[in-house]
Amino acid sequence: VFGASAEDSIMGNLSSCFEGFKPPQRPKGKLVLKYFDIAGRAEPIRLVLALGEYNFQDIRLRGDEWGEKEKESCPYRQVPVLYIDGKPMAQTKAVLRYLGRVTQFQGKFLYPSDPYVAAKVDEQMDAFDDLWILLAPTYRIQNQVQKEQARQRLFEEGGEARFLIGVFEKTLEKSTNGFVIAEAGFSVADLMFFAFLSMVRSGFVEGLGPKLLSGYPNILKHKEMVAAMPEVQKYYKKQNNAGLPNYEVFLPGY
């Protein structure tokens, strides 16, 4: 028979074990997201914050505001950065995973708890790094015509970007429910697909236009599914009313 002290010890250990099963807590402090006055890499983060109905400050820097003082305030001298009660969190995918773990939309968290399914979500988000790596050298081309032609070649038959877009198309074609990772349901991977693929054809990347993905029906179907969500429409109505550029393709029907 256990004594009182032994029982207390056992119950204390059990209590400690179950502490790890508490549901993730949403950030309760002041939220400030800092990025440029474009969609860019911050857009999927903005969407998570909008869908989660967070009250956050969306700081959009102009080019002339991105000086040494601003860079010094960022952990990697880069944006986006999410500040939670003044504490910075950098790197787009790290922020997305964090917010996805603590943010519910329609009763479900936006980042899966199952390790395998979470890895598949990460796989899709990581693939976009390959796309940006392909586009990055084109920004160093001084001649505007040559710059736009170089970008267009990436998406033409045999182009490396075309291969990646084909992989994204096949991923959605195989999905049983229309989401990027079917087992995850609607997740941060869907928001990245929607935001980044819309940005690429928004006109922001000069030389690439709205018809860039016209031959990819599953990508466009996915885009329309996300764009039609009332919460997403509400967010983009606000952006368009603010007169921000390159946001039209994020709306339904574009």
Side-chain angles (χ1 to χ4, degrees):
V1 179
F2 293 114
S5 59
E7 288 181 5
D8 290 343
S9 177
I10 292 171
M11 293 304 294
N13 289 336
L14 287 173
S15 178
S16 298
C17 289
F18 283 108
E19 283 181 3
F21 293 96
K22 291 180 180 178
Q25 298 296 306
R26 288 166 57 102
K28 297 179 180 179
K30 180 181 179 182
L31 296 179
V32 177
L33 179 63
K34 184 182 294 186
Y35 192 62
F36 301 115
D37 197 11
I38 57 173
R41 292 177 180 265
E43 197 66 6
I45 299 173
R46 292 180 181 130
L47 286 168
V48 175
L49 293 169
L51 294 177
E53 298 183 333
Y54 289 96
N55 182 18
F56 72 102
Q57 184 179 359
D58 187 10
I59 296 180
R60 294 173 178 249
L61 300 168
R62 299 187 307 272
D64 59 354
E65 294 176 314
W66 183 238
E68 193 63 27
K69 183 178 179 180
E70 284 290 350
K71 292 176 183 178
E72 287 294 334
S73 71
C74 302
Y76 299 94
R77 295 174 62 85
Q78 298 173 347
V79 284
V81 176
L82 178 67
Y83 295 88
I84 305 173
D85 262 351
K87 298 177 181 178
M89 181 182 296
Q91 301 296 337
T92 298
K93 289 179 291 182
V95 176
L96 280 175
R97 281 190 287 266
Y98 165 69
L99 288 175
R101 287 186 176 105
V102 300
T103 304
Q104 292 191 57
F105 177 66
Q106 296 181 346
K108 180 183 165 297
F109 287 104
L110 290 172
Y111 188 81
S113 58
D114 180 272
Y116 176 80
V117 179
K120 296 300 290 183
V121 166
D122 289 342
E123 174 188 316
Q124 295 300 317
M125 295 200 297
D126 288 345
F128 277 95
D129 288 346
D130 297 335
L131 184 59
W132 306 140
I133 288 171
L134 293 174
L135 284 168
T138 68
Y139 285 91
R140 295 194 292 270
I141 300 175
Q142 297 299 315
N143 183 279
Q144 185 66 25
V145 174
Q146 293 176 359
K147 177 186 295 186
E148 294 184 13
Q149 290 175 341
R151 290 169 176 171
Q152 291 162 3
R153 282 194 296 270
L154 288 171
F155 290 87
E156 291 173 355
E157 190 70 38
E160 294 176 271
R162 188 183 180 97
F163 168 77
L164 284 173
I165 299 298
V167 173
F168 297 152
E169 172 73 7
K170 289 178 182 177
T171 296
L172 289 168
E173 182 182 3
K174 294 176 182 178
S175 175
T176 56
N177 55 13
F179 299 120
V180 174
I181 301 299
E183 302 94 326
F186 185 60
S187 73
V188 289
D190 292 280
L191 293 175
M192 183 172 280
F193 260 58
F194 171 78
F196 284 177
L197 292 175
S198 294
M199 182 189 69
V200 167
R201 67 185 192 92
S202 70
F204 173 74
V205 183
E206 296 169 317
L208 306 178
K211 295 183 179 180
L212 179 70
L213 303 178
S214 60
Y216 301 92
N218 290 289
I219 288 177
L220 293 180
K221 182 179 178 181
H222 178 270
K223 178 262 171 181
E224 289 298 314
M225 175 186 70
V226 178
M229 293 179 173
E231 296 84 358
V232 174
Q233 290 193 57
K234 179 180 178 182
Y235 168 77
Y236 283 110
K237 183 178 180 180
K238 179 180 178 182
Q239 308 316 313
N240 279 280
N241 287 345
L244 296 174
N246 306 118
Y247 268 110
E248 193 174 55
V249 298
F250 291 81
L251 303 175
Y254 287 90

